[in-house]
Amino acid sequence: QVQLVESGGGLVQAGGSLRLSCAASGRTSSRYLMGWFRQAPGKEREFVAAINWSGDSTYYTGSVKGRFTISRGNAKNTVYLQMNSLRPEDTAVYYCAAGGGSYYPNREYEYDYWGQGTQVTVSL
């Protein structure tokens, strides 16, 4: 089992930045793909970004490319999402996920473990 705890969410004005963190504990010796998803009010959860175990491959949804950066800590059990140039449409609950899949990093079924989520609100 792997436990994931997100932090770093909050309220920010449009154009501002936030850095989300996700700390994994438990069975962290396995080589997990790590990803971030988000769910806005009244919408389905959607893929944001993912990073492979070694950190040398990253994946982003089109709307965040060039604004968000996903990275892993040196110990591999922490993943970050640096979010710059935030827009009101980025407002959502952001979820961290970990999984053994690797073929489709943007699909929820590749992930086995999920955090509780952290709220990000971007105001005008």
Side-chain angles (χ1 to χ4, degrees):
Q1 287 287 340
V2 174
Q3 294 77 43
L4 303 173
V5 178
E6 303 98 335
S7 61
L11 173 64
V12 64
Q13 287 189 325
S17 299
L18 282 175
R19 189 193 196 203
L20 304 183
S21 299
C22 174
S25 61
R27 190 181 174 185
T28 58
S29 60
S30 298
R31 298 189 172 191
Y32 289 111
L33 169 75
M34 300 288 290
W36 287 96
F37 290 73
R38 65 186 180 187
Q39 187 168 21
K43 295 187 177 181
E44 293 188 353
R45 189 158 58 186
E46 65 173 356
F47 170 76
V48 177
I51 188 167
N52 69 346
W53 165 253
S54 61
D56 58 7
S57 293
T58 57
Y59 314 87
Y60 297 94
T61 192
S63 63
V64 308
K65 281 182 180 178
R67 300 189 299 124
F68 291 10
T69 303
I70 189 170
S71 61
R72 298 189 84 126
N74 290 335
K76 306 293 186 187
N77 59 350
T78 303
V79 65
Y80 305 99
L81 186 67
Q82 177 66 45
M83 305 186 295
N84 299 328
S85 302
L86 282 161
R87 305 166 180 169
E89 53 264 39
D90 294 317
T91 294
V93 176
Y94 282 71
Y95 296 91
C96 176
S102 61
Y103 292 106
Y104 301 103
N106 61 336
R107 304 293 176 86
E108 291 194 23
Y109 59 71
E110 294 284 18
Y111 299 88
D112 305 302
Y113 306 101
W114 294 82
Q116 293 299 308
T118 185
Q119 177 71 46
V120 171
T121 303
V122 184
S123 63
L124 288 170

